[in-house]
Amino acid sequence: MNSSSTTQDQAKNAIKAMLSPRSIVIMGASEQLNKINGRPLKFLLEKGYQGGIYLVNPKYSEIAGVTCYPSLDDIDCIPDLAIIALPATMVCDSIIALGKKGIPAALVFSSGFGEIGPEGKALEAKLLEAARKSGVRICGPNCLGLINAFESVYATFSQYADGETYSGPVGFVSHSGAFGTAIAALARRREIGLGYFVNTGNEIDLGFSEIMQEILLDSRIKVVAGYLEGIKDGVALKKLANLAMKYNKPLVLTKVGRLGAGALAAASHTGSLAVEDGLFDAVARQYGVVRARNEEQMLDILEVMLYTPLPAGNRLGIITQSGGAAVMMADRAEELGLQIPQLTQGTEDALKKIIPGFGAYRNPVDVTGQFVANPAILRDSIKVMLDDPQIDIVVIWLQLMTNHVDLLVNLFSEIRQDVKKPFVVCWVAAPDEAISGLHKNGIAVLRGAEPVVDAVSAFVQYSQARRNWLQEQGQILPEINPKEALSPLAKLHGVVKTISAFELLAGIGVPMAQVKLATTEDEAINIWKLLSEPVVLKIESPDITHKTEANGVYLNLNDEASIRNAFRAIMKSAAEYAPKAVLSGVIVQKMSKGGLELVVGVKRDATFGMMVMVGIGGIMVEVLRDVAWRQAPFSNAVAMQMLDELRMKAIFDGVRGSLPVDKYAIAKLISKVSQFADSVSSRLIELDLNPILMGADGPLAVDCVMVVD
Amino acid sequence: MNSSSTTQDQAKNAIKAMLSPRSIVIMGASEQLNKINGRPLKFLLEKGYQGGIYLVNPKYSEIAGVTCYPSLDDIDCIPDLAIIALPATMVCDSIIALGKKGIPAALVFSSGFGEIGPEGKALEAKLLEAARKSGVRICGPNCLGLINAFESVYATFSQYADGETYSGPVGFVSHSGAFGTAIAALARRREIGLGYFVNTGNEIDLGFSEIMQEILLDSRIKVVAGYLEGIKDGVALKKLANLAMKYNKPLVLTKVGRLGAGALAAASHTGSLAVEDGLFDAVARQYGVVRARNEEQMLDILEVMLYTPLPAGNRLGIITQSGGAAVMMADRAEELGLQIPQLTQGTEDALKKIIPGFGAYRNPVDVTGQFVANPAILRDSIKVMLDDPQIDIVVIWLQLMTNHVDLLVNLFSEIRQDVKKPFVVCWVAAPDEAISGLHKNGIAVLRGAEPVVDAVSAFVQYSQARRNWLQEQGQILPEINPKEALSPLAKLHGVVKTISAFELLAGIGVPMAQVKLATTEDEAINIWKLLSEPVVLKIESPDITHKTEANGVYLNLNDEASIRNAFRAIMKSAAEYAPKAVLSGVIVQKMSKGGLELVVGVKRDATFGMMVMVGIGGIMVEVLRDVAWRQAPFSNAVAMQMLDELRMKAIFDGVRGSLPVDKYAIAKLISKVSQFADSVSSRLIELDLNPILMGADGPLAVDCVMVVD
């Protein structure tokens, strides 16, 4: 067994001990039960923790009836978990003492580490060193601990535990203590039970994904959710996402820092490295992680997932008592890519008989307020719609109904028992007893027309991701032999020469334009004569990657004078643009024609590894940032999904007279690039195929920049 | 006084009588007080309406202690308002009886009209006729009535009135009864008092804008809000918006039907004509109407507006106890165009002294959870930030704090008293008493990081719109004399000939390319020779407006053979494309060069009149629908705002080597077109300037389509 897997086993065991400790020791316990170092004891006693509780503080002999020891040595057993609520400067020594005692895991509440700046960073480094030496695994520092509600482990000072708490099938892990507490409190209000609530704080040792993995393995947990302020370990996240898929437990994440400014603020706060949010988003989508944009949406999605069977597709049926609500939901559904299919004739005929004349029997269906007088209108409409083979999932919108709660709860419960297909209730201004009643009967209930569609859309996307995942299990990508792929790169470094990069990529099957290097005017003329077609001249220099900016590109040249002029002009302006640049000469190639321009690129990211991008067209890519990313390697099917994510995707189908393009050929190219990127990940830093022109014969890359280390 | 203004006065008086009736008669009153025709009496009695209540129904002599008359004639006074809760077929006669009696206004609850289809439409027409003949003004039919909470007028059967109700400074009018009731119930939960709640139903007579105008004039009303399922009368909406500005009472609207599918569903439900939502959105923006995307956002915005002084600008200060919340808010603010300015040095220095080391003293500020132990940290931070001249409005984010409600309410109240600048509290999972406490002290409190920024952004936009409105008061646009503008159009009809349209537009100062018509190959050759530059040939036909689709455009021709070939090819393919089209010949013009392409257009809309559009570039306009609209006429400043709304606006500033373009010249062109459109609104149906090329000398329209009626 190598040292890495030992560390992994140690972490696994430590996390198990941490999440389900048979006994807990509080280092620096206080008799002031409302202070940070007093609250865990209060909570453990109040909430009925059944394990052993040990307190260490030389100041006291007993707190709230629990013996307090002067030091760890005085305790005659080895607790599973230590809570450290000491000043920052005392934490290292405490960890070493824990190690000596053989305690596997510690929750470090203490602040004054990375979050306060360089001084704290230094202390953090020492703490990690102490942890490694002593073999104690740490959650924190600067965290507010954890709750395992199943076993009444309230090893926390979070004010969430001040109120009533109960267990439930959601595992929740948060980078932030304050935001995490807010989410936990909101979950409680919605009757969403948190089986686990862990705050990971500065994450100097155990991180979000490692802890979440252990929670996910608990059979009492059905859904896992996280609040993130950044991602340090992309590999661990991918592993977690795969495990979540394997066990069919959806992973729902809210991550802040969607924009540049946000990422900056995050960096200054948590010491977490700013990550390019687009990459995170792409990786989440690729591996079936559900992303919620904020805390309320996260809880909406959890609500739906906890109670509702998986839908088989994206075809939504809508039933309301208000035409306006129907429109609002239909609009949102369309924006999110859900279908609102026409119902089968039989269904429409049946609904026409059920629904009053001033309602609407087509999807979205409006049963009108008449169902209050005659509940069968609502019940039968829902059943008939759920029975339609065109429909995968149904949302029912209603409001208020203070005087009809029992009737409606019974009605929905009866349907839930009779029907297997998923449905979700959207009950605006619902009385509290309506929400409780529906929950008791296993029915999800949300609060508004737009939020319910958002949540259903996330649920539908999860079910689609899960189907994709099941399908791709066991499939193997046509691998490029890494050794073979790497060997041409062996002697290259920095910005690769255009000729070499073109040859290399053509060699692995990427359709590349033919290019030649001319080091003199005469050479350029000769190449043009051989081609006997209009040509393009472009500066060739390892130091100039933005050729257009350097005025280093001349298009559509077809006579000797123009070519000579262009050659001289390019060399001159390149020298002015970058006086120290090595100018190797000028690339001469055919003037390619093509309407649509694409860009495909690769970036080696510190967090997520080899990331592949596709975007539409020249300048537009920079103005609109209309690009899609995936982690390499991936299949053609995944590349097709990338194309489908582009806002400008309508252009592929041909717009105003332009011909549709072969999307599959583009997807093949992207997938091929992803396989190449994966096989040369040890060397390739960056690759830009820009532009790729879409001609009648398919895509053709006419320029490229490749950088290796 | 002409008949139109008589009708207007009559409507005004009827609406006043309707909203503040001294006495009410219920036609078809029922002793079943939980039925539609029984509930108004129950509510009026329960809620203590002080006016006279008269009941008409031959079945009863008395209901709940109130005399019931066999017919209207038996009542010895003239009630201000009638509630009609009769079967649809009896409504017309009832209206005629009301007219005879001299009752000015009726709320028609009855359904079975336009909403059930053609049969109901016919009955609706009869009802309108009866109303016009009898002089009774109608709200409805198919409405659930109205509430004037100030005077305890509960002339409704809405289940909203089942619960506790109270008055307040919000006037709310809803097209939908069910959705309106839901919104009213949600407002109650948030302690947002509705002074008026009116449901307008099918709006066959009195409409949303007319009724809202009267509500707006009530001095007890501070903000007006509406829920719309469509817009029938764009002129009335514009008038309402102007009145709202005049009285400084924000108008907040939620309108469903944002997308095509939605509009379709709306049409089938309410009988309301589908409107192009983009036009509504533009007109709302143009006249300072605040648009909320759904009911919760509407209430968020109302909450902020009710309690908060107007901000002087868009510079947002953020104070939180969580770095993540700060990032989430900063991200959302950036997306919505709010600034998160750097604080002045003095402010940062002061905050550095106040805030613990592990917090953040730069905007967004993180005071950390330490303020619980030491409230001065929070109080002083807020005060210092509000004092910064860089800051226009502050949001403070906190969560839970069940044990510290009084302390925090007092703290915020003290600040509200001391400071004039606006601030809003965002308190996640706030205890109920915290919300009540803040409201009592005149402080807005919202529930989440993203919703608070959305609401503040709407508020900031309103304040900006108000400043613009104040500035534009008294300004007069340089008018084009309508007679002069119209005279060249006198003899035109249908699709105007290219030459004529170009001349006409050039005449009013729109920069147009020079064009000539060639009816033969030789003429085309001669024009080319005179120009002695590369030319473009385009089909000229009143029956072909999409020239490219007809293969009717050839670019960049500079030799005789090419021009002859192009002429023949164009005439041939045009004849194939549209065999019945009149082919007048071919337009010959210089081959214009220009990087950026714009499109500017005019559309005469049935609801909003002359609407002017600008969009960026050729195919992209259709793929991305990246366009901005305004109602004609408007100033250069408004045209600049249009350019600023485009998603691709970054392109104006120059991207990757391309030069920035003269935005002001584009704005002038758009404004000019808007003035022209306004002056010829009686004739012009459609105008397309497409493309307009942005060259070094400014914009140049190189093609156009003009349609007149």
Side-chain angles (χ1 to χ4, degrees), chain B residues 314-382:
Chain B
N314 74 341
R315 299 166 306 169
L316 177 63
I318 294 174
I319 294 180
T320 74
Q321 57 159 136
S322 149
V327 175
M328 196 182 263
M329 290 196 279
D331 275 0
R332 190 68 187 142
E334 191 182 327
E335 280 176 341
L336 297 172
L338 292 172
Q339 280 188 62
I340 312 282
Q342 196 181 336
L343 303 171
T344 55
Q345 190 62 48
T347 307
E348 288 193 354
D349 291 345
L351 287 170
K352 204 168 175 177
K353 281 180 198 153
I354 298 166
I355 294 168
F358 59 102
Y361 59 87
R362 294 203 170 95
N363 190 19
V365 163
D366 179 1
V367 298
T368 80
Q370 282 301 99
F371 75 86
V372 175
N374 178 11
I377 295 175
L378 181 61
R379 188 194 55 218
D380 296 348
S381 298
I382 300 170

Side-chain angles (χ1 to χ4, degrees), chain B residues 29-39 59-60 63:
Chain B
S30 165
E31 64 173 4
Q32 288 177 282
L33 296 184
N34 275 319
K35 287 186 68 178
I36 285 176
N37 48 356
R39 291 162 70 82
K59 277 205 242 172
Y60 311 107
I63 302 172

Side-chain angles (χ1 to χ4, degrees), chain B residues 231 234 274-276 279 603-611 685:
Chain B
I231 288 285
V275 299
E276 221 292 75
L279 302 189
K603 183 187 186 292
R604 189 163 77 195
D605 180 75
T607 304
F608 294 108
M610 302 308 280
M611 295 293 301
I685 299 174

Side-chain angles (χ1 to χ4, degrees), chain A residues 446-528:
Chain A
L446 295 188
R447 68 201 145 83
E450 288 207 319
V452 77
V453 177
D454 286 348
V456 164
S457 164
F459 191 43
V460 163
Q461 276 172 35
Y462 171 74
S463 73
Q464 181 61 52
R466 187 160 171 75
R467 284 192 298 278
N468 292 348
W469 183 85
L470 288 169
Q471 236 170 37
E472 296 220 345
Q473 287 312 94
Q475 279 194 21
I476 294 159
L477 289 179
E479 229 173 284
I480 299 175
N481 184 312
K483 270 191 194 164
E484 278 178 29
L486 276 170
S487 78
L489 287 169
K491 287 185 187 165
L492 305 174
H493 62 95
V495 178
V496 177
K497 283 179 191 166
T498 302
I499 304 283
S500 313
F502 269 63
E503 272 174 11
L504 207 160
L505 291 162
I508 59 152
V510 178
M512 305 296 295
Q514 281 200 310
V515 290
K516 303 258 181 210
L517 180 69
T519 56
T520 64
E521 283 176 42
D522 289 342
E523 277 180 29
I525 297 294
N526 287 338
I527 298 167
W528 164 65

Side-chain angles (χ1 to χ4, degrees), chain A residues 34 36 39 111-112 115-117 142 159-160 162 176-179 181-183 185-186 188-189 227 229 254-263 265-266 268-269 293-296 321-328 330-332 334-335 357-360 364 366 370 397 399-404 428-432 447-451 546 548-549 596 616-624 626 647-651 655-658 690, chain B residues 34 36 39 111-112 115-117 142 159-160 162 176-179 181-183 185-186 188-189 227 229 254-263 265-266 268-270 293-296 321-328 330-332 334-335 357-360 364 366 370 397 399-404 428-432 447-451 546 548-549 616-624 626 647-651 655-658 690:
Chain A
N34 275 317
I36 286 177
R39 291 162 71 82
S111 57
E115 75 281 5
I116 65 161
N142 188 28
Q159 46 162 337
Y160 164 67
D162 280 328
S176 160
F179 216 125
T181 294
I183 292 173
L186 291 173
R188 170 168 56 204
R189 289 191 175 194
Y227 168 87
E229 294 185 343
T254 292
K255 180 185 143 320
V256 296
R258 289 184 295 110
L259 307 177
S268 81
H269 172 67
R293 65 173 288 138
N294 58 36
E295 69 280 15
E296 293 284 0
Q321 56 159 137
S322 151
V327 175
M328 197 181 263
D331 275 1
R332 190 68 188 141
E334 192 182 327
E335 281 176 340
F358 58 102
D366 179 1
Q370 282 300 101
W397 185 98
Q399 45 88 20
L400 218 50
M401 299 292 155
T402 318
N403 300 331
H404 312 283
V428 180
D432 289 344
R447 68 201 145 83
E450 288 207 319
H546 297 293
T548 310
E549 271 181 23
L596 188 59
I616 296 179
I619 270 183
M620 285 300 136
V621 171
E622 288 180 32
V623 176
L624 292 169
D626 185 19
R647 275 182 282 159
M648 281 194 274
K649 64 181 170 184
I651 214 166
V655 176
R656 223 202 307 174
S658 73
N690 184 20
Chain B
N34 275 319
I36 285 176
R39 291 162 70 82
S111 57
E115 75 280 6
I116 64 161
N142 188 28
Q159 48 163 334
Y160 165 66
D162 279 329
S176 160
F179 215 125
T181 294
I183 292 172
L186 291 172
R188 171 167 55 206
R189 290 191 174 194
Y227 168 87
E229 294 185 344
T254 292
K255 181 184 143 320
V256 296
R258 288 183 295 108
L259 306 178
S268 82
H269 172 65
T270 64
R293 64 173 290 141
N294 58 35
E295 69 280 13
E296 293 285 0
Q321 57 159 136
S322 149
V327 175
M328 196 182 263
D331 275 0
R332 190 68 187 142
E334 191 182 327
E335 280 176 341
F358 59 102
D366 179 1
Q370 282 301 99
W397 186 98
Q399 45 88 18
L400 218 50
M401 298 292 154
T402 318
N403 300 331
H404 312 284
V428 180
D432 289 344
R447 68 201 144 85
E450 288 207 319
H546 297 292
T548 310
E549 272 182 21
I616 295 179
I619 270 183
M620 285 299 135
V621 170
E622 289 179 34
V623 176
L624 292 169
D626 185 19
R647 274 182 282 159
M648 280 193 274
K649 65 182 169 182
I651 215 167
V655 176
R656 221 202 307 175
S658 72
N690 183 20

